[in-house]
Amino acid sequence: MAITGVLRPGHVALRVLDLEQAVHHYTEILGLAEVMRDAQGRVFFKAWDEADHHSVVLRKADEAGMDYMGWRVDSDATLDRLAGELEASPLATETSWIAAGEHPHTGRRFRFTIPTGHVMELYAHRDVTGCATGYLNPEPWPDGLRGMAPSRFDHCLLYGDDLDGTVELFTKILGFNLAEQVVAGPDKLQIAAFLTCSNKAHDVAFIRQPMKNKFHHCSFLLGSWNEVLKAADIISKKKVSLDLGPTRHGITRGETIYFFDPSGNRNEVFSGGYIWYPDKPTITWTDDQLGPAIFYHDRKLNEAFLSVVT
Ligand code: FE2
């Protein structure tokens, strides 16, 4: 197994203002499957090609945003080792263990707060309830897909103040690599970091800005540019709040469109991007080229895209 340690983003837990409007959005528009509701009123979802029980969790709250993001690690031994290293590090605060079963079909989780103020979790076990096509002689995609129908939850982009500390935690403790970065000014201050734990251009990204614990978007993978265009059609047809796109990012080369759920949480669906290997040099963008770095076609920044967060 070449990918070890932290394997991938496993879940994102979001706050929404109106649960039924949100469920409609995440099932009928985005196209996830609702898998269960628990006694706390949380709703759990998964995308059609995901094996594990769930990947998206919604709860009703007075304020939109992200509660936490979870990472699947390869084993209990890795979970214990990384928890020990995080507990011993000043970079991780508010560390705690959450008992198995608190998330349905999921083992114990180690929770910690990173220097940008976001809550992260590690876990080693979640029941494999299977993807929609199965694993024996599968069809390429299942019948009955709705909405944009991404194959999986892919990454989050998060805003926070102590970018240096968060990048150090992810690279030095969790074993991530810096695939791309944006630097600003004569001192080349790092203002954005795109971090990978796998073969992807990013599994999580962070932007430096003054406030702690802000959520920019969670992103879901589509199969092609044509599916991104179809997502744009769905956004118009269903009168969803469009943010930006369809376009291409210079950073990661992904083909993308952004929109908002009814509570104002930004979603992305995207396709493409490159394959990352551990010997690939870090790509650096300078802030004078931020336009094409973010929106390759327009080559211009969009203030709302940069400043609207939950
Ligand atoms: Fe993204």
Side-chain angles (χ1 to χ4, degrees):
M1 182 165 64
I3 296 176
T4 59
V6 180
L7 299 183
R8 58 184 168 78
H11 56 255
V12 60
L14 300 176
R15 299 183 300 272
V16 298
L17 306 180
D18 181 309
L19 200 55
E20 291 315 312
Q21 279 184 10
V23 168
H24 175 80
H25 173 87
Y26 283 91
T27 56
E28 301 298 324
I29 306 291
L30 184 57
L32 305 180
E34 179 182 333
V35 292
M36 73 169 281
R37 300 188 183 205
D38 73 0
Q40 296 177 36
R42 296 180 297 186
V43 189
F44 297 80
F45 305 84
K46 70 188 292 182
W48 68 262
D49 202 26
E50 290 176 329
D52 290 0
H53 178 262
H54 63 269
S55 59
V56 174
V57 188
L58 302 184
R59 74 172 175 97
K60 181 174 162 42
D62 294 332
E63 206 176 354
M66 185 184 83
D67 279 335
Y68 52 86
M69 186 177 177
W71 299 89
R72 172 73 189 257
V73 305
D74 65 3
S75 64
D76 277 310
T78 294
L79 181 58
D80 287 329
R81 176 178 62 80
L82 291 175
E85 290 180 28
L86 290 162
E87 277 174 334
S89 170
L91 295 169
T93 56
E94 299 176 80
T95 59
S96 64
W97 282 100
I98 295 166
E102 196 279 333
H103 262 210
H105 297 270
T106 302
R108 63 198 172 116
R109 288 131 67 202
F110 183 73
R111 180 177 282 185
F112 54 103
T113 301
I114 61 175
T116 41
H118 304 93
V119 176
M120 295 285 157
E121 298 181 344
L122 306 177
Y123 67 97
H125 294 285
R126 175 162 294 147
D127 289 346
V128 173
T129 50
C131 71
T133 54
Y135 299 95
L136 180 65
N137 308 320
E139 308 296 343
W141 44 270
D143 291 335
L145 292 177
R146 295 166 302 179
M148 300 169 188
S151 58
R152 68 159 188 253
F153 163 53
D154 188 87
H155 66 267
C156 288
L157 192 153
L158 306 170
Y159 277 34
D161 56 351
D162 186 359
L163 181 64
D164 305 321
T166 281
V167 170
E168 187 178 347
L169 184 154
F170 271 86
T171 56
K172 301 268 174 60
I173 300 177
L174 298 181
F176 284 55
N177 288 90
L178 185 65
E180 303 203 26
Q181 63 178 341
V182 181
V183 299
D187 297 334
K188 299 193 177 356
L189 176 71
Q190 187 183 61
I191 57 170
F194 293 75
L195 297 158
T196 181
C197 64
S198 63
N199 260 153
K200 293 153 53 187
H202 62 330
D203 289 294
V204 67
F206 293 93
I207 307 289
R208 186 192 297 272
Q209 61 88 59
M211 285 183 294
K212 280 200 183 293
N213 191 23
K214 289 298 172 188
F215 172 79
H216 188 272
H217 69 264
C218 57
S219 185
F220 299 85
L221 182 68
L222 297 178
S224 68
W225 171 234
N226 207 52
E227 290 188 16
V228 177
L229 293 182
K230 186 180 171 198
D233 292 345
I234 291 168
I235 286 167
S236 179
K237 185 178 183 179
K238 302 291 185 183
K239 303 189 173 48
V240 174
S241 175
L242 172 68
D243 184 32
L244 265 162
T247 184
R248 181 196 289 278
H249 289 305
I251 297 170
T252 75
R253 297 184 203 145
E255 301 137 1
T256 178
I257 189 163
Y258 292 89
F259 51 100
F260 293 99
D261 77 9
S263 304
N265 293 308
R266 189 185 279 99
N267 298 159
E268 177 190 29
V269 289
F270 82 105
S271 65
Y274 52 81
I275 296 171
W276 185 88
Y277 286 101
D279 58 341
K280 182 177 171 66
T282 296
I283 292 171
T284 295
W285 298 82
T286 52
D287 60 333
D288 61 313
Q289 293 299 308
L290 207 49
I294 300 180
F295 302 117
Y296 186 65
H297 298 156
D298 283 357
R299 305 186 75 83
K300 285 192 301 249
L301 293 177
N302 177 297
E303 188 52 34
F305 183 82
L306 297 178
S307 61
V308 174
V309 290
T310 53

